[in-house]
Amino acid sequence: MWSGRRAPDEDAEGRWAWTRGRVLAALATCIALLLAFHRVVPNSPGHMGSLLETFLPWLGLVVVVLLEVALLRRSPTALVALLLPAAAWTYQFGGLLLPAGEPGAHDLLVVQHNVSDVNRDPAGTARALAAAKPDLIAVEELEHPVVPVYEKTLGQDFPYHEVQGTVGLWSKYPLTGAGVVDIKPPEITEPWRRGLRAVVHTPHGEAAVYVAHLPSVRIRPSGLTSGMRDESARLLDEAVAAEKLDRVILLGDLNGTVDDRGLAPLTGRLNVAERGLAFSFPAAFPLARIDQVMARSATVGRIRTLPATGSDHLPVAARITLN
C-alpha cells in the first residue's frame, strides 16, 4: 500500500538535484553583481571598469548560456540563481527594448555617422544618410577633399551646413553662431579639430547643436586605453555646461557607450536614448553603440541603426522631442 511518503532513494535524488549546479549558481550571482554594481569595479589598472561597461549588455548572452547549461543539468539551484542576473539585466536594459511612442509634432529626426576617412563612396554614404529624411545630419572623419561631395549631394535637401576640421553638420533649418569647440586633450600636439557648435533655428525654437568626435580607445592585453577619450569628454562637458541656451543636442562618435564611466560627465548632464540598443561599431559585426545622441531640455526617444555605408560604423538615427 502507498503510504504517501517518498522512498529513501527518492528523497536522496531530490536532495541531490538541489546540490547540482552550485558552480553555475555562483556564476549567476557574480553576473548579477556585475550588472547591478558595475560602477564599483575598479578602473585601475587598465580601465577595467570602463572595459566591462563597454560590453555590459552582452552579459545577457552569458545568462542565456548559463540557462541552457542549467536546463541540461536539471539544476533547480542554478535556475533559481539565474533569476538574479535576469532581473538585473531587465532592470538595466529591458526598457530599451520596449516599443517607441508615436512621433510628436515637436520632434526632430537626427542622424549621426562616423563616415570614415577611408570611405570609398562618400556620395553613396551621403545619399544613404539623406534617405532617412532627417532634419539634422552630423558626420565625423570628414576629410577635406570629400567635403565638396557631401555639399553637392546633401545641398538640395540640407541647404545649411557647417564644417570644422573633420566634423560637419547639415541642417534643413538655418544655422547661426557656428564655431569650433576645443576638445583636444593636452597630450595631442598636432592640429586637431573635432568639435563644433552651431545654433539650429527649428520651427519649434532654437537649440545649440554640438558635434564631436572623441579620441579612439584601444583594447590591449593591459586593458582599455581611454585616458585621452576621458579627458576630451571632460572638455566637451565643460563646453556644454557653459552653454547659455537651454536646449542642447549632442551628436557624435564618442568612442564609448552610455554605460561607460568615462562618459559620465556627459551622461550625468544630458538625456540619453530611452529606447533602442543600436549597436553601431564595428559595422561588420556591431558589438557596442559608440555613436551617441544626447540632449538637454529635450527627450531622446528611440535610437536605431541605419543600413551600412562605406564606413566601419553604422549610422544611427534618433527622434528628439523638444521640451
Side-chain angles (χ1 to χ4, degrees), residues 109 130 132-137 156-161 170-175 200-201 203:
L109 180 61
K133 301 187 182 303
D135 299 291
L136 299 172
I137 297 175
Q156 182 173 352
D157 294 327
F158 303 89
Y160 310 98
H161 79 279
W170 270 260
S171 172
K172 286 186 175 181
Y173 307 118
L175 298 174
V200 59
H201 298 265

mmCIF file of all heavy atoms in Angstrom, residues 109 130 132-137 156-161 170-175 200-201 203:
data_model
loop_
_atom_site.group_PDB
_atom_site.id
_atom_site.type_symbol
_atom_site.label_atom_id
_atom_site.label_comp_id
_atom_site.label_asym_id
_atom_site.label_seq_id
_atom_site.Cartn_x
_atom_site.Cartn_y
_atom_site.Cartn_z
ATOM 1 N N LEU A 109 14.157 64.631 -36.260
ATOM 2 C CA LEU A 109 14.835 63.387 -36.570
ATOM 3 C C LEU A 109 16.283 63.723 -36.892
ATOM 4 O O LEU A 109 16.549 64.555 -37.775
ATOM 5 C CB LEU A 109 14.180 62.675 -37.759
ATOM 6 C CG LEU A 109 14.825 61.336 -38.168
ATOM 7 C CD1 LEU A 109 14.759 60.324 -37.033
ATOM 8 C CD2 LEU A 109 14.155 60.788 -39.421
ATOM 9 N N ALA A 130 20.762 60.831 -46.205
ATOM 10 C CA ALA A 130 19.621 61.676 -46.574
ATOM 11 C C ALA A 130 18.354 60.858 -46.750
ATOM 12 O O ALA A 130 17.245 61.379 -46.552
ATOM 13 C CB ALA A 130 19.942 62.437 -47.856
ATOM 14 N N ALA A 132 17.080 58.716 -44.912
ATOM 15 C CA ALA A 132 16.315 58.605 -43.665
ATOM 16 C C ALA A 132 15.415 59.807 -43.438
ATOM 17 O O ALA A 132 14.617 59.806 -42.496
ATOM 18 C CB ALA A 132 17.270 58.443 -42.484
ATOM 19 N N LYS A 133 15.553 60.844 -44.281
ATOM 20 C CA LYS A 133 14.755 62.084 -44.202
ATOM 21 C C LYS A 133 14.868 62.753 -42.828
ATOM 22 O O LYS A 133 13.858 63.101 -42.200
ATOM 23 C CB LYS A 133 13.291 61.812 -44.543
ATOM 24 C CG LYS A 133 13.088 61.239 -45.943
ATOM 25 C CD LYS A 133 11.636 61.142 -46.310
ATOM 26 C CE LYS A 133 11.453 60.516 -47.698
ATOM 27 N NZ LYS A 133 12.180 61.265 -48.763
ATOM 28 N N PRO A 134 16.106 62.955 -42.371
ATOM 29 C CA PRO A 134 16.275 63.615 -41.076
ATOM 30 C C PRO A 134 16.186 65.135 -41.209
ATOM 31 O O PRO A 134 16.147 65.689 -42.306
ATOM 32 C CB PRO A 134 17.694 63.185 -40.673
ATOM 33 C CG PRO A 134 18.414 63.077 -41.983
ATOM 34 C CD PRO A 134 17.390 62.573 -42.975
ATOM 35 N N ASP A 135 16.183 65.783 -40.058
ATOM 36 C CA ASP A 135 16.280 67.241 -40.018
ATOM 37 C C ASP A 135 17.729 67.692 -39.872
ATOM 38 O O ASP A 135 18.089 68.774 -40.348
ATOM 39 C CB ASP A 135 15.458 67.779 -38.842
ATOM 40 C CG ASP A 135 13.988 67.428 -38.976
ATOM 41 O OD1 ASP A 135 13.335 67.974 -39.877
ATOM 42 O OD2 ASP A 135 13.497 66.591 -38.190
ATOM 43 N N LEU A 136 18.532 66.880 -39.196
ATOM 44 C CA LEU A 136 19.941 67.186 -38.970
ATOM 45 C C LEU A 136 20.778 65.953 -39.286
ATOM 46 O O LEU A 136 20.375 64.832 -38.978
ATOM 47 C CB LEU A 136 20.201 67.590 -37.520
ATOM 48 C CG LEU A 136 19.487 68.826 -36.959
ATOM 49 C CD1 LEU A 136 19.731 68.933 -35.459
ATOM 50 C CD2 LEU A 136 19.960 70.082 -37.672
ATOM 51 N N ILE A 137 21.945 66.167 -39.875
ATOM 52 C CA ILE A 137 22.913 65.096 -40.116
ATOM 53 C C ILE A 137 24.260 65.550 -39.564
ATOM 54 O O ILE A 137 24.775 66.608 -39.948
ATOM 55 C CB ILE A 137 23.063 64.779 -41.615
ATOM 56 C CG1 ILE A 137 21.747 64.260 -42.200
ATOM 57 C CG2 ILE A 137 24.171 63.753 -41.848
ATOM 58 C CD1 ILE A 137 21.800 64.040 -43.712
ATOM 59 N N GLN A 156 20.777 70.135 -51.717
ATOM 60 C CA GLN A 156 19.410 70.460 -52.081
ATOM 61 C C GLN A 156 18.441 70.303 -50.912
ATOM 62 O O GLN A 156 17.576 71.163 -50.688
ATOM 63 C CB GLN A 156 18.949 69.572 -53.245
ATOM 64 C CG GLN A 156 17.532 69.896 -53.717
ATOM 65 C CD GLN A 156 17.160 69.118 -54.968
ATOM 66 O OE1 GLN A 156 17.992 68.455 -55.573
ATOM 67 N NE2 GLN A 156 15.899 69.213 -55.374
ATOM 68 N N ASP A 157 18.571 69.214 -50.161
ATOM 69 C CA ASP A 157 17.652 68.953 -49.043
ATOM 70 C C ASP A 157 18.130 69.556 -47.730
ATOM 71 O O ASP A 157 17.328 69.748 -46.810
ATOM 72 C CB ASP A 157 17.452 67.447 -48.868
ATOM 73 C CG ASP A 157 16.729 66.820 -50.044
ATOM 74 O OD1 ASP A 157 15.871 67.505 -50.633
ATOM 75 O OD2 ASP A 157 17.031 65.666 -50.385
ATOM 76 N N PHE A 158 19.425 69.823 -47.655
ATOM 77 C CA PHE A 158 20.008 70.364 -46.416
ATOM 78 C C PHE A 158 20.843 71.595 -46.785
ATOM 79 O O PHE A 158 22.073 71.528 -46.879
ATOM 80 C CB PHE A 158 20.866 69.299 -45.721
ATOM 81 C CG PHE A 158 20.105 68.042 -45.408
ATOM 82 C CD1 PHE A 158 20.042 67.004 -46.335
ATOM 83 C CD2 PHE A 158 19.439 67.902 -44.208
ATOM 84 C CE1 PHE A 158 19.328 65.849 -46.058
ATOM 85 C CE2 PHE A 158 18.725 66.746 -43.924
ATOM 86 C CZ PHE A 158 18.663 65.717 -44.860
ATOM 87 N N PRO A 159 20.169 72.723 -46.998
ATOM 88 C CA PRO A 159 20.865 73.899 -47.530
ATOM 89 C C PRO A 159 21.803 74.590 -46.545
ATOM 90 O O PRO A 159 22.582 75.458 -46.949
ATOM 91 C CB PRO A 159 19.715 74.822 -47.922
ATOM 92 C CG PRO A 159 18.570 74.412 -47.048
ATOM 93 C CD PRO A 159 18.717 72.941 -46.847
ATOM 94 N N TYR A 160 21.724 74.229 -45.276
ATOM 95 C CA TYR A 160 22.566 74.875 -44.266
ATOM 96 C C TYR A 160 23.561 73.854 -43.724
ATOM 97 O O TYR A 160 23.182 72.748 -43.339
ATOM 98 C CB TYR A 160 21.706 75.429 -43.128
ATOM 99 C CG TYR A 160 20.554 76.278 -43.631
ATOM 100 C CD1 TYR A 160 19.273 75.737 -43.757
ATOM 101 C CD2 TYR A 160 20.756 77.606 -43.990
ATOM 102 C CE1 TYR A 160 18.217 76.507 -44.224
ATOM 103 C CE2 TYR A 160 19.704 78.380 -44.465
ATOM 104 C CZ TYR A 160 18.441 77.827 -44.583
ATOM 105 O OH TYR A 160 17.403 78.595 -45.056
ATOM 106 N N HIS A 161 24.817 74.220 -43.698
ATOM 107 C CA HIS A 161 25.808 73.290 -43.157
ATOM 108 C C HIS A 161 26.993 74.040 -42.584
ATOM 109 O O HIS A 161 27.223 75.222 -42.887
ATOM 110 C CB HIS A 161 26.257 72.292 -44.222
ATOM 111 C CG HIS A 161 27.263 72.842 -45.194
ATOM 112 N ND1 HIS A 161 26.912 73.624 -46.275
ATOM 113 C CD2 HIS A 161 28.620 72.716 -45.232
ATOM 114 C CE1 HIS A 161 28.003 73.959 -46.949
ATOM 115 N NE2 HIS A 161 29.042 73.432 -46.339
ATOM 116 N N TRP A 170 24.898 69.116 -41.210
ATOM 117 C CA TRP A 170 23.989 69.550 -42.274
ATOM 118 C C TRP A 170 22.588 69.670 -41.695
ATOM 119 O O TRP A 170 22.169 68.825 -40.899
ATOM 120 C CB TRP A 170 24.010 68.554 -43.428
ATOM 121 C CG TRP A 170 25.043 68.857 -44.463
ATOM 122 C CD1 TRP A 170 24.833 69.474 -45.672
ATOM 123 C CD2 TRP A 170 26.451 68.581 -44.406
ATOM 124 N NE1 TRP A 170 26.021 69.600 -46.360
ATOM 125 C CE2 TRP A 170 27.028 69.059 -45.608
ATOM 126 C CE3 TRP A 170 27.278 67.992 -43.451
ATOM 127 C CZ2 TRP A 170 28.386 68.949 -45.887
ATOM 128 C CZ3 TRP A 170 28.637 67.882 -43.709
ATOM 129 C CH2 TRP A 170 29.180 68.350 -44.910
ATOM 130 N N SER A 171 21.850 70.711 -42.117
ATOM 131 C CA SER A 171 20.566 71.007 -41.490
ATOM 132 C C SER A 171 19.542 71.473 -42.520
ATOM 133 O O SER A 171 19.876 72.158 -43.493
ATOM 134 C CB SER A 171 20.749 72.093 -40.429
ATOM 135 O OG SER A 171 19.511 72.531 -39.923
ATOM 136 N N LYS A 172 18.278 71.107 -42.275
ATOM 137 C CA LYS A 172 17.174 71.651 -43.063
ATOM 138 C C LYS A 172 16.837 73.072 -42.639
ATOM 139 O O LYS A 172 16.180 73.808 -43.381
ATOM 140 C CB LYS A 172 15.931 70.771 -42.893
ATOM 141 C CG LYS A 172 15.983 69.451 -43.626
ATOM 142 C CD LYS A 172 14.660 68.727 -43.501
ATOM 143 C CE LYS A 172 14.650 67.458 -44.337
ATOM 144 N NZ LYS A 172 13.345 66.745 -44.250
ATOM 145 N N TYR A 173 17.273 73.442 -41.426
ATOM 146 C CA TYR A 173 16.909 74.731 -40.856
ATOM 147 C C TYR A 173 18.151 75.603 -40.726
ATOM 148 O O TYR A 173 19.283 75.101 -40.641
ATOM 149 C CB TYR A 173 16.254 74.525 -39.492
ATOM 150 C CG TYR A 173 15.098 73.558 -39.521
ATOM 151 C CD1 TYR A 173 15.134 72.374 -38.783
ATOM 152 C CD2 TYR A 173 13.972 73.812 -40.304
ATOM 153 C CE1 TYR A 173 14.074 71.478 -38.814
ATOM 154 C CE2 TYR A 173 12.911 72.919 -40.353
ATOM 155 C CZ TYR A 173 12.970 71.752 -39.606
ATOM 156 O OH TYR A 173 11.928 70.856 -39.654
ATOM 157 N N PRO A 174 17.967 76.920 -40.673
ATOM 158 C CA PRO A 174 19.117 77.816 -40.620
ATOM 159 C C PRO A 174 20.028 77.559 -39.420
ATOM 160 O O PRO A 174 19.564 77.200 -38.326
ATOM 161 C CB PRO A 174 18.464 79.202 -40.518
ATOM 162 C CG PRO A 174 17.115 79.029 -41.134
ATOM 163 C CD PRO A 174 16.688 77.647 -40.776
ATOM 164 N N LEU A 175 21.310 77.736 -39.648
ATOM 165 C CA LEU A 175 22.324 77.611 -38.606
ATOM 166 C C LEU A 175 22.981 78.964 -38.412
ATOM 167 O O LEU A 175 23.300 79.667 -39.381
ATOM 168 C CB LEU A 175 23.390 76.586 -39.002
ATOM 169 C CG LEU A 175 22.941 75.135 -39.221
ATOM 170 C CD1 LEU A 175 24.099 74.300 -39.759
ATOM 171 C CD2 LEU A 175 22.398 74.532 -37.932
ATOM 172 N N VAL A 200 20.751 75.836 -34.216
ATOM 173 C CA VAL A 200 19.786 75.500 -35.258
ATOM 174 C C VAL A 200 18.460 76.161 -34.912
ATOM 175 O O VAL A 200 17.986 76.103 -33.773
ATOM 176 C CB VAL A 200 19.624 73.967 -35.409
ATOM 177 C CG1 VAL A 200 19.175 73.316 -34.126
ATOM 178 C CG2 VAL A 200 18.639 73.638 -36.535
ATOM 179 N N HIS A 201 17.879 76.826 -35.905
ATOM 180 C CA HIS A 201 16.628 77.559 -35.714
ATOM 181 C C HIS A 201 15.492 76.713 -36.284
ATOM 182 O O HIS A 201 15.155 76.809 -37.471
ATOM 183 C CB HIS A 201 16.713 78.921 -36.392
ATOM 184 C CG HIS A 201 17.792 79.795 -35.829
ATOM 185 N ND1 HIS A 201 17.565 80.736 -34.852
ATOM 186 C CD2 HIS A 201 19.126 79.838 -36.102
ATOM 187 C CE1 HIS A 201 18.704 81.348 -34.560
ATOM 188 N NE2 HIS A 201 19.666 80.811 -35.297
ATOM 189 N N PRO A 203 11.439 75.176 -36.410
ATOM 190 C CA PRO A 203 10.111 75.794 -36.264
ATOM 191 C C PRO A 203 9.607 75.806 -34.830
ATOM 192 O O PRO A 203 8.637 76.510 -34.524
ATOM 193 C CB PRO A 203 9.225 74.895 -37.146
ATOM 194 C CG PRO A 203 10.151 74.245 -38.111
ATOM 195 C CD PRO A 203 11.427 74.053 -37.360
#
